[in-house]
Amino acid sequence: PGQELQVDTGWMTLLEPDFTGKRRRIRAWIFTAVLSRHRFVIACLRETTESAIDACEAAWRFFGGVYHVLIPDNTKAIVQKADPLKPLINTVFLEYAQARGFQIDTARVRHPKDKARVERSVPTVREDAFRGERLLSIPDALRRGETWSRDEYGMRRHTRTQRMPLEHFNEVEKSCLLPAPT
């Protein structure tokens, strides 16, 4: 409990047209707890190291603590060079991980089973959390992602564990997390 958190990213939806008539496409960082399957979704416009750190900070606030191990895919925002034994982690993100006290265990390239709990979640999140929503701005998308994570997905019985992810997380995992950053 409280050990591993898997993270993936993917395209979600389009924002409503802005004052110039342009629609912007948003992405999301998706964090899934390995044991309880509790999930946190946060929208962003670009997949950068800065947005990865911001997403992690939001995840730590959402979960109420820091997981011991983060398992990302090989996004360039976190991993500069993928390697099964010695991946080269982005220096800024590595320093961030050291400051927060968690380890980074990257998934191998083309091995989706390394982060199987989160791998198939991108289409599910896109369809379930964002499809049909009228999102005017990133703050709207952020609110939608958090509301969906806590009130909809978190309270839905998970098919594998047969428990509600939020309830399972609160009972088993929350007390095992590292302290949340202040």
Side-chain angles (χ1 to χ4, degrees):
Q3 287 298 308
E4 294 182 351
L5 183 68
Q6 297 179 357
V7 62
D8 202 0
T9 62
W11 293 106
M12 292 296 125
T13 190
L14 294 170
L15 294 175
E16 290 296 311
D18 61 10
F19 63 93
T20 64
K22 184 178 178 183
R23 296 186 78 182
R24 298 191 69 184
R25 195 171 177 193
I26 61 170
R27 300 182 67 85
W29 291 92
I30 305 166
F31 296 84
T32 303
V34 171
L35 182 68
S36 67
R37 308 302 206 278
H38 193 31
R39 187 171 287 162
F40 175 64
V41 175
I42 183 166
C44 67
L45 289 173
R46 294 183 305 135
E47 193 175 307
T48 63
T49 303
E50 182 182 359
S51 73
I53 291 171
D54 290 344
C56 286
E57 286 294 298
W60 308 146
R61 283 189 302 273
F62 179 80
F63 290 118
V66 177
Y67 276 80
H68 295 263
V69 179
L70 184 71
I71 304 173
D73 60 0
N74 289 290
T75 174
K76 293 292 182 193
I78 298 173
V79 182
Q80 287 181 335
K81 182 178 178 248
D83 186 299
L85 299 176
K86 291 189 75 156
L88 181 61
I89 306 297
N90 178 304
T91 306
V92 173
F93 195 84
L94 182 60
E95 289 176 1
Y96 167 72
Q98 291 169 345
R100 292 295 182 244
F102 67 89
Q103 301 292 317
I104 304 167
D105 184 12
T106 62
R108 294 172 294 168
V109 176
R110 290 182 292 285
H111 283 82
K113 290 184 180 178
D114 285 359
K115 56 182 183 58
R117 304 299 184 272
V118 76
E119 186 62 34
R120 298 288 304 152
S121 67
V122 174
T124 303
V125 170
R126 182 184 309 119
E127 296 296 315
D128 201 25
F130 294 104
R131 187 172 187 174
E133 297 293 323
R134 294 195 62 215
L135 303 171
L136 302 174
S137 62
I138 284 292
D140 284 349
L142 294 171
R143 280 190 294 277
R144 176 64 190 142
E146 187 166 345
T147 300
W148 179 82
S149 299
R150 183 186 54 250
D151 301 334
E152 295 175 35
Y153 180 80
M155 299 306 290
R156 183 181 309 147
R157 189 167 305 281
H158 192 275
T159 55
R160 179 72 65 167
T161 65
Q162 292 301 309
R163 297 186 69 181
M164 289 182 272
L166 178 59
E167 174 187 282
H168 193 182
F169 169 79
N170 285 333
E171 287 178 15
V172 178
E173 283 196 293
K174 191 169 186 172
S175 62
C176 298
L177 299 179
L178 298 169
T182 56

